[in-house]
């Protein structure tokens, strides 16, 4: 009872998930939830312990994170660069924007069969899909951010004799940043989603592979474990983006309510 | 003597007929630096946007250090006039001549203040003022100068805040400090107080007058408030149909008392002309 009271004091928000967990555990123990539908939380914990001791889980997490971040870095930097170029130069936009907007209408996951034909099930296939998925939100939002910077501020910068570089660094880029962050957070979501799908379909390592292997051997607690780890990694990426937002957008009225 | 010329023709056109131009020195209450203001003259300035002419051969000569108010109906070309004066636009024909003794950098001859403060929301107040100080090499000097400019407009204690936490009047004061940072010879003001409430407006008018008296630049204030025009200016010009329709001296001593009968009389003269032509 005292433990429960402490939890209540620490945060009412934790009561419900905790209660669910307890109900889930009890129901699983009593056989109310069949073992082949959902394992008990304690079974998932045991699976985590076993895979941690063998070190297997860390290898999968490492491989998946590496794929996610590398694909993100490739797609994100190309999207950012093209967004900048097309936002700043009318000529560049005239040449490439229509094409990019057309390609955008193809769901990138629909390319999976083609990508497997091109790259097999090697790393390139997964990096390509993640990069492609991440590219568009970053591109679109960078472009949009730059195109919608207040023209009165740009005129002010010109009046005060800012060079093109100063104008970019002091006016255009900071003005586009809120929109770029929207793209960043959206892209991080797409990044994990793409990777989950790609790893589930074709991989010989990584969390998705771990889940698929476990499914074959009916290790349902490992399947649930990999889902939870995906969720955790996604949350981690989102928190990192929020932190960056707090640092870079601290001037923004939305971030000034302490 | 230093003559800068801004006109529609190539730079070496024969329009340079300005040596020894008969600019008068404006009468001043205090005497700041003698060359603090610049004189300028619009000579038959025409400005058209496509087929639509906004200014039809406008002539206006303003001596150094004067305070001129420009009034007129909405859309009559007041902002256009200021954009030409500050070089943001070029006249379709005609010329604008400047006389600024000892001016070094023509880009810093004029500064403009708009109805919107146009502060960078992502730069602290002091950094916003430093935008006007890019001619200073040393970072420490820029900051020191910016802080003293902020003190001039009564905002020394807000230097490290974000612009978004300031009130409308305070933001306009930051914009004023930034405009004054490079010591312009001519300060063009495009309805800078238009968005402020009545009380803040009067405070800002007094601040503007005080700073103008101290620094001696030439002030050109566009306003739709006739009372504001007669309270601040030495001279009020009314723009109508692309020309100067009325050019009225306001020969009253400063500081002027708002609501005095003299001001009210002059205000009446101007309003009558403004409204009379509307009927
Ligand atoms: N860049 C522009 N292109 C076309 N028309 C313009 C432009 N700038 C101003 N005008 C027109 O010129 C006229 C005068 O505008 P403006 O100088 O802004 O008037 P105001 O006296 O209200 O400041 C208006 O009819 C406006 O529509
Ligand atoms: Mg205007």
């Amino acid at each position: 009872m005292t433990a429960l009271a402490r939890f209540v004091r620490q945060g009412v928000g934790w009561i419900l998930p905790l209660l669910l967990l307890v109900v889930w555990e009890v129901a699983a123990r009593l056989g109310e939830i069949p073992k082949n539908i959902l394992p008990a939380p304690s079974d998932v914990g045991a699976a985590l312990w076993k895979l941690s001791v063998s070190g297997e889980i860390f290898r999968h997490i490492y491989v998946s994170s590496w794929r996610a971040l590398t694909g993100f870095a490739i797609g994100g930097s190309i999207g950012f660069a093209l967004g900048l170029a097309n936002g700043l130069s009318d000529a560049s936009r005239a040449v490439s924007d229509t094409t990019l907007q057309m390609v955008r209408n193809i769901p990138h996951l629909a390319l999976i069969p083609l990508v497997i034909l091109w790259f097999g099930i090697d790393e390139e296939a997964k990096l390509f899909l993640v990069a492609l998925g991440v590219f568009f939100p970053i591109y679109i939002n960078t472009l949009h951010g730059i195109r919608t910077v207040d023209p009165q501020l740009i005129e002010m910068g010109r009046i005060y004799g800012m060079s093109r570089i100063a104008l970019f660094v002091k006016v255009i880029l900071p003005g586009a940043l809120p929109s770029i962050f929207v793209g960043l957070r959206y892209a991080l979501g797409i990044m994990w989603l793409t990777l989950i799908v790609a790893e589930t379909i074709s991989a010989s390592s990584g969390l998705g592979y771990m889940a698929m292997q476990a499914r074959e051997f009916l290790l349902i607690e490992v399947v649930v474990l990999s889902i939870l780890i995906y969720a955790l990694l996604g949350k981690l990426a989102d928190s990192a983006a929020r932190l960056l937002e707090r640092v870079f957008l601290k001037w923004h009225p939305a971030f000034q309510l302490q | 003597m230093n003559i800068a010329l801004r006109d529609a023709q190539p730079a070496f056109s024969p329009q340079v007929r300005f040596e020894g131009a008969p600019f008068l020195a404006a009468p001043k209450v205090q005497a700041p630096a003698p060359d603090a203001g610049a004189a300028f003259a619009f000579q038959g300035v025409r400005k058209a946007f496509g087929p639509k002419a906004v200014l039809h051969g406008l002539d206006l000569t303003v001596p150094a250090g004067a305070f001129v108010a420009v009034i007129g109906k909405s859309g009559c070309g007041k902002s256009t006039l200021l954009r030409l004066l500050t070089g943001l636009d070029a006249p379709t024909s005609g010329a604008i001549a400047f006389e600024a003794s000892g001016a070094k950098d023509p880009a810093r001859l004029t500064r403009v203040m708009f109805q919107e403060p146009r502060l960078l929301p992502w730069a602290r107040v002091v950094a916003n003022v430093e935008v006007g100080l890019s001619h200073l090499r040393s970072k420490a000097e820029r900051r020191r100068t910016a802080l003293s400019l902020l003190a001039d407009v009564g905002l020394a204690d807000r230097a490290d805040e974000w612009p978004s936490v300031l009130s409308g009047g305070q933001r306009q004061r930051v914009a004023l400090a930034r405009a004054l940072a490079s010591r312009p010879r001519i300060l063009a003001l495009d309805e800078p107080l238009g968005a402020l409430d009545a009380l803040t407006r009067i405070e800002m008018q007094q601040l503007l007058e005080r700073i103008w008296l101290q620094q001696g630049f030439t002030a050109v204030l566009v306003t739709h408030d006739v009372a504001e025009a007669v309270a601040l200016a030495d001279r009020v010009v009314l723009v109508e149909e692309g020309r100067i329709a009325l050019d009225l001296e306001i020969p009253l001593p400063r500081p002027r008392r708002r609501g005095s009968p003299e001001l009210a009389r002059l205000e009446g003269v101007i309003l009558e002309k403004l409204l009379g032509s509307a009927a």
Side-chain angles (χ1 to χ4, degrees):
Chain A
M1 267 331 254
T2 51
L4 189 65
R6 196 160 54 238
F7 275 122
V8 171
R9 251 181 281 121
Q10 278 184 354
V12 186
W14 286 101
I15 298 175
L16 195 61
L18 222 73
L19 211 66
L20 274 175
L21 215 59
V22 171
V23 171
W24 175 10
E25 177 76 39
V26 170
R29 295 262 156 204
L30 295 177
E32 294 293 323
I33 306 175
K35 262 205 170 331
N36 59 346
I37 300 287
L38 213 54
S42 56
D43 291 343
V44 178
L48 172 64
W49 175 250
K50 201 171 131 240
L51 290 169
S52 303
V53 169
S54 72
E56 200 180 338
I57 197 160
F58 300 116
R59 195 165 52 80
H60 290 308
I61 290 177
Y62 171 77
V63 168
S64 288
S65 306
W66 180 84
R67 283 175 188 150
L69 295 178
T70 310
F72 183 90
I74 295 170
S77 48
I78 297 174
F80 184 62
L82 270 174
L84 285 186
N86 287 1
L88 296 171
S89 149
D90 289 342
S92 170
R93 189 169 65 257
V95 169
S96 64
D97 190 51
T98 315
T99 313
L100 290 170
Q101 297 293 348
M102 279 188 321
V103 176
R104 183 164 80 104
N105 289 315
I106 305 170
H108 68 295
L109 293 178
L111 293 179
I112 287 181
L114 200 57
V115 169
I116 292 178
L117 283 177
W118 289 344
F119 300 106
I121 63 161
D122 288 340
E123 290 307 303
E124 290 92 332
K126 279 157 290 247
L127 294 184
F128 179 84
L129 282 170
V130 171
L132 192 66
V134 157
F135 169 86
F136 282 104
I138 300 269
Y139 167 72
I140 305 258
N141 286 286
T142 305
L143 177 62
H144 175 261
I146 289 188
R147 302 285 302 164
T148 52
V149 173
D150 184 354
Q152 294 189 334
L153 287 184
I154 296 179
E155 188 184 60
M156 184 281 294
R158 294 228 167 89
I159 292 172
Y160 282 92
M162 286 186 190
S163 64
R164 289 168 68 94
I165 294 172
L167 199 64
F168 177 73
V169 173
K170 290 187 178 165
V171 182
I172 296 175
L173 190 60
L177 219 49
S179 175
I180 293 174
F181 268 108
V182 170
L184 177 75
R185 288 181 57 189
Y186 192 75
L188 288 174
I190 299 239
M191 171 183 88
W192 287 118
L193 185 77
T194 310
L195 192 70
I196 292 167
V197 174
E199 282 187 344
T200 309
I201 290 172
S202 67
S204 52
S205 61
L207 288 166
Y209 169 78
M210 184 177 91
M212 291 315 279
Q213 285 289 99
R215 182 192 57 103
E216 271 180 31
F217 296 109
L218 297 176
L219 294 170
I220 192 161
E221 63 277 7
V222 178
V223 175
V224 171
L225 179 65
S226 60
I227 292 169
L228 290 178
I229 293 175
Y230 267 133
L232 201 71
L233 290 176
K235 175 79 190 141
L236 210 66
D238 196 56
S239 302
R242 275 168 188 273
L243 190 76
L244 286 178
E245 224 171 24
R246 272 184 186 283
V247 173
F248 284 103
L249 302 185
K250 60 177 184 290
W251 52 270
H252 203 282
F255 291 92
Q256 279 167 24
L257 312 162
Q258 255 97 44
Chain B
M1 187 165 288
N2 185 333
I3 294 171
L5 198 76
R6 207 176 270 156
D7 71 348
Q9 269 80 43
F12 35 81
S13 82
Q15 295 228 356
V16 189
R17 44 180 156 78
F18 233 76
E19 291 103 295
F23 287 124
L24 307 164
K28 246 176 267 125
V29 180
Q30 295 166 4
D35 56 354
F40 68 90
F42 280 58
Q43 302 159 325
V45 168
R46 218 181 84 84
K47 177 68 182 175
F49 296 103
K52 186 171 166 293
V54 178
L55 301 179
H56 313 263
L58 183 135
D59 291 299
L60 176 65
T61 303
V62 174
F67 198 130
V68 182
V70 180
I71 57 173
K73 299 204 189 75
S74 184
C76 72
K78 305 180 298 290
S79 296
T80 304
L81 192 153
L82 286 197
R83 294 181 68 85
L84 295 176
L85 173 65
T86 51
L88 290 174
D89 273 326
T92 309
S93 64
I96 301 162
F98 294 90
E99 190 194 65
S101 50
K104 287 178 207 79
D105 185 356
R108 287 198 275 126
L109 189 65
T110 60
R111 278 285 178 248
V112 61
M113 213 179 132
F114 299 96
Q115 178 164 350
E116 329 77 39
R118 301 198 186 186
L119 303 178
L120 298 173
W122 41 84
R124 305 273 180 186
V125 164
V126 63
N128 265 292
V129 177
E130 286 175 30
V131 166
L133 292 166
S134 52
H135 57 286
L136 297 182
R137 285 276 155 265
S138 133
K139 208 174 150 72
E141 194 185 348
R142 274 205 299 272
R143 186 171 166 100
R144 190 154 27 79
T145 314
L147 286 174
S148 88
L149 284 157
L150 279 174
D152 287 346
V153 297
L155 287 175
D157 55 334
R158 310 305 292 270
D160 289 312
E161 308 227 30
W162 299 114
S164 60
V165 305
L166 300 185
S167 71
Q170 290 170 332
R171 285 180 212 174
Q172 261 327 24
R173 283 194 266 162
V174 177
L176 178 62
R178 179 181 65 188
L180 295 171
S182 60
R183 294 255 158 189
R185 305 304 187 88
I186 300 172
L187 182 63
L189 304 127
D190 196 351
E191 307 194 21
L193 315 182
L196 304 179
D197 64 88
L199 217 63
T200 313
R201 252 180 112 97
I202 294 175
E203 274 174 21
M204 282 292 288
Q205 289 167 6
Q206 288 165 348
L207 174 71
L208 204 59
E209 182 177 44
R210 198 194 78 217
I211 287 183
W212 170 72
L213 286 170
Q214 278 169 4
Q215 303 200 357
F217 50 81
T218 309
V220 184
L221 170 72
V222 165
T223 176
H224 53 243
D225 180 350
V226 179
E228 178 171 291
V230 294
L232 287 176
D234 300 326
R235 183 175 161 200
V236 177
V237 297
L238 172 64
V239 178
E240 211 172 72
E241 284 162 7
R243 289 194 189 80
I244 305 280
L246 177 74
D247 190 337
L248 191 69
E249 296 283 331
I250 311 289
L252 302 180
R254 294 171 197 271
R256 294 174 182 167
R257 264 190 34 136
R258 306 196 129 256
S260 77
E262 260 309 283
L263 283 182
R265 192 186 63 77
L266 288 164
E267 199 180 326
V269 170
I270 297 166
L271 276 173
E272 198 174 314
K273 176 75 184 161
L274 247 175
L275 300 172
S277 51

